[in-house]
Amino acid sequence: MDRRRFLKTAAVRGAATALGSGVWWGEDNGMSREASAAEAPRRVGTTVSLAGEWSMAADGRESVATVPGCWERDGRPATLTGPVTYRRDVSLPETARAELRAGGRLWWECDAVSYHCAASVNGAPVGEHTGLWDAFAFEVPSDSAAQRDGRLALALAVEKPGAARFPIRETMAGFLPYVWGTWGGPWQEMRLRTTGPAAIRGLRAPGRADGTVAAVADLDMAPGSAGGTAVVRFALSDEAGRVVARREVPAAASGEVRADLKVEGFRDALRWSPEKPTLFTLDVTVEVGGVVSDGRRRLVGFRDVTVDGERILVNGAPVYLRMPLSWGWYEDSRAPNPPEEVFRAELERVRDLGFNGMKLCLWIPPQSYFEIADRMGMLLWVELPMWLPQSSEFCRKQTPVEYRRIVRQVGDHPSVAVWTVGCEIGAGMDAAFLRELYEQVKEDTGSPLVRDNSGSAECYGGPMPESADFHDFHLYCDLPQARPTFASFHPAFRPRQPFLFGEFCDQDALRDLPGLAAKRGGKPPWWAVEDGEHNPKGVRWEYTVVRQLDLMKQNGLLERRGELHESARKQALLTRKLTLELVRSQPHMGGYVITGLVDTPISSAGLFDDLGEARFSAQEFRPFNQDTVLFLEPDRRREWAAGGDRPAYVDRYCAWSGSSVRRHVGVSHYGVGAGPLAVRWRVSGSDGRPVARGEVARDRVAPGDVVYVDLFTFTAPAVDRPTRLRVSLEAEVGGRTVTNDLPLWVFPKPGKDEKRRVGVYDPAGHLSRFADAVGIAPVPLDVVTGKPSDGKGDIPVLVATAWRPDFVEFARLGGHVIYLQPGASDAGAGYGLPAPAMPFWREAMRLFDPNPVWGEFPHENETGALFYGLAADAAFELDGVRAALGPKVTVDAALTRVDARAFTKHGYLLTATAEKGSLTLTTLRLHGGLGDEPSGLTRNVAGAYLLRAWLDRAAAAVGAGKV
């Protein structure tokens, strides 16, 4: 069937009937209440589950399929797009046949099928449906002879997105095609169900914070069946099962039946909130001729979500949204429909980590997920499944239809707080169409938090103007760039609205495929095996996982998995901690979504790894990811440069021995309780003994405050070697104790050495105030000849920030070179050693090798906060460096970057031996200067210490006449 014919067919009454939200009402649903059952004179309704084995035919071959499920999980190729025909013979029980003989109706209900399906019963077509995420039903003609004897031959022909008829970018397939692929089949439950002549095809019941609910039942009445006698009854019960409100509404024809109910004597304590998710139950039945014809049930939560400037309020109380990002990846089921206990467990586990919700990024889970979130008090951000769309006639007609079905089926859940129409939409759509979708979602939900494009149009070259109730950016920043990048996207002149990060703060860790395979009997997971049929690349841009084991072998990484695993885990924790503390210190920001919930085939940035194990404990993660967070900020500084002021950043995590350390304490308070706040601070050594302590206070904090508390100062202790301290904060807020801590390293201040001759070749001016930083007066080198400018002859040691090929000869003859490459340089470019640009923190792991160049630098085999001011945005290409230095130079690694996705290696710190002399080569930024790294060598404590240590090492080698 071509698209025009399909669109015409889908519009007629005989196609699929959309199912609204609500559990069907019957004896076998396990949810009947005594009060509701007692009121019903009697009822009809038999349900026959269609779960289990079906036959499946495609490409001339038959096999067994499992429903609910997808054909990929049942062994058919993932490249198969259909049609695939599912068949099953069913015998109706006598109760159902009796109901049909008495004028009842039979429905074939499907909770979700991917993507298009055509149904037939006993060879006769009963309808078609297009849409991956919504529930629907086909009515089986009641006058069928086969129905009377109860034998039904069911057939469902299914096509999934990906073929020419339904291209992925023209369908609302979400993001899962880019995570692993598309799936096909009836991936949620199916059933046969009987009703009387009047059926309730959907039920919506949004509750308000004042104890009222505007219920809407979608009534489908067989022609001529009502005769003026149909009555729709609405009964609202509390948690104890007591009916607290009821209405009866007569109905004479199909259509929406509305009823406003109010709980008399409603009080605030009965509201639904994340802290106390109180739920009521709405039972709706329709009677025809005094007999119950059909019924549905819906959970109701009374709450309001409102906006006050930049703050989001639930029932008038400020809330700070904290959510992981879920793409709907579930390895075992492939389709996003695992057992309910999996959904429940993942929400419980993220709540333990301090999150108060989940973002459903470009996928719609089954109804059970929403009900679990309702009961747990977890907030949900529903992102409708449009990503990288291709505008076409089919897409523009189909998308509003699918969106309306989805929103009306899940939009009244009290857990759902935020809506986005799509994600990272670029030039593939126009503003007018997105505006229509935005207004449709607003109309169907009444939500004050709807946006047309998560991530913003301006970041992706998308259509403007935007239709949005909040600001939303996807800023994946390397740590030092987070502060200036966040500041540049501050709403400023834009309307005052909540500012949310719809995605951000990813950090890949080690995917331990050898360990994963070992725990599965030596067999790697299916998504890690290169298989053109069952694990094709498809539309994925990231497919390296299938080569990971080979890459690890080639690069000698298998035997160092243990080092990588723990250092990457600690780095992932650190980047989340520092980023979230920064975000919480910004009053205009109202929430964030962390990428992501679990590791997937395209990313290892999950809070939970491929085995489902948590990367971080609650004790590690909650201090910076909860309602109330304490944070520290150093002093701000200014410097006069080129005739004007510029911001100057100080070292956040390092201090000189004996220096004054000044730290500002702030609090982001979104918990309960208001009143005075006292923060106790303590600085302790590695042995736990206090170095300094005190208390700072603020007269009052209230929920929703992000405020400055006070400044505390102390003198860094005198040390003769680098020493790690711990700065700890503790406060009681709203009856709860909150804590946080940060490391601080104290370094011995370099002494002055006026006799040392060190040449400095610094055309770019990165080493200004060299003598102040390292205690040695530099001898400038001529930028043309590379010789000392003072004319006093050669020098044994030089520091350079620009590469000269003659440095190798200098070292060969006994000199010592410390080369600080300040940025990226392509191989053969001639202005530096080969060093491609790449992030220091994101998508990276680290290997530390024993090397004298480290001296007493306390790196602890991990790139922790100690490296904050040293982080570089380039790393050496190892083979390229060796080629540039020549075959007679031996190169050793001290600090290696391992790409967390490609498993390639690059160097941050190398040492080289060239006959009589040596070279120390690094892309680490001893002078800082990236983002909010320390501004210059004099402010970068760790950088200045390292440089002086290397100079001392070179001097010792000169004195000993050896490298």
Side-chain angles (χ1 to χ4, degrees), residues 314-441:
V314 175
N315 301 329
V319 63
Y320 199 98
L321 299 182
R322 306 181 303 279
M323 302 175 171
L325 182 81
S326 171
W327 286 325
W329 162 248
Y330 296 95
E331 175 189 339
D332 290 340
S333 58
R334 303 202 185 194
N337 186 26
E340 287 185 22
E341 56 265 27
V342 174
F343 286 146
R344 185 176 294 105
E346 73 181 22
L347 287 174
E348 288 173 347
R349 296 177 80 190
V350 299
R351 183 169 61 183
D352 289 343
L353 292 175
F355 294 96
N356 59 8
M358 183 79 74
K359 183 178 182 182
L360 308 173
C361 181
L362 299 163
W363 70 290
I364 309 298
Q367 279 283 350
S368 60
Y369 189 104
F370 293 91
E371 292 173 359
I372 292 168
D374 291 343
R375 296 182 187 280
M376 291 179 61
M378 294 292 278
L379 299 169
L380 299 178
W381 179 332
V382 176
E383 186 156 271
L384 294 166
M386 181 191 293
W387 193 73
L388 291 182
Q390 178 64 52
S391 182
S392 67
E393 180 182 358
F394 173 79
C395 180
R396 298 176 76 90
K397 288 183 177 179
Q398 183 67 18
T399 303
V401 172
E402 291 188 35
Y403 275 19
R404 176 141 282 161
R405 295 175 190 153
I406 293 169
V407 172
R408 290 192 172 185
Q409 288 180 23
V410 305
D412 60 343
H413 285 275
S415 54
V416 178
V418 186
W419 295 85
T420 35
V421 168
C423 177
E424 298 176 353
I425 300 170
M429 280 295 170
D430 59 88
F433 181 62
L434 292 179
R435 179 73 182 180
E436 291 174 11
L437 295 176
Y438 162 85
E439 291 176 346
Q440 176 179 305
V441 174

Side-chain angles (χ1 to χ4, degrees), residues 646-798:
R646 297 181 184 181
Y649 297 103
V650 301
D651 202 320
R652 307 176 68 83
Y653 305 108
C654 302
W656 291 120
S657 173
S659 65
S660 176
V661 181
R662 295 163 54 91
R663 292 293 182 266
H664 301 266
V665 182
V667 63
S668 173
H669 177 46
Y670 279 81
V672 297
L677 174 70
V679 180
R680 295 173 293 279
W681 61 270
R682 172 188 170 105
V683 182
S684 54
S686 58
D687 58 2
R689 294 181 180 179
V691 172
R693 64 175 66 186
E695 183 175 291
V696 293
R698 183 178 176 87
D699 291 341
R700 179 179 173 80
V701 293
D705 281 348
V706 181
V707 293
Y708 176 65
V709 178
D710 208 342
L711 167 74
F712 71 85
T713 65
F714 67 96
T715 301
V719 298
D720 59 5
R721 64 183 56 197
T723 302
R724 178 177 177 145
L725 304 179
R726 177 67 56 185
V727 182
S728 304
L729 306 175
E730 181 181 85
E732 291 183 7
V733 188
R736 299 177 182 176
T737 299
V738 294
T739 62
N740 205 356
D741 58 62
L742 286 167
L744 179 73
W745 284 267
V746 178
F747 289 85
K749 181 74 173 176
K752 292 188 177 297
D753 187 342
E754 298 179 354
K755 297 181 179 180
R756 190 91 61 93
R757 282 177 60 76
V758 173
V760 174
Y761 183 70
D762 185 27
H766 293 300
L767 302 180
S768 62
R769 299 179 63 190
F770 182 91
D772 292 339
V774 301
I776 301 171
V779 178
L781 301 183
D782 185 270
V783 296
V784 177
T785 65
K787 302 296 183 180
S789 300
D790 62 4
K792 294 181 179 179
D794 290 338
I795 55 174
V797 179
L798 65 85

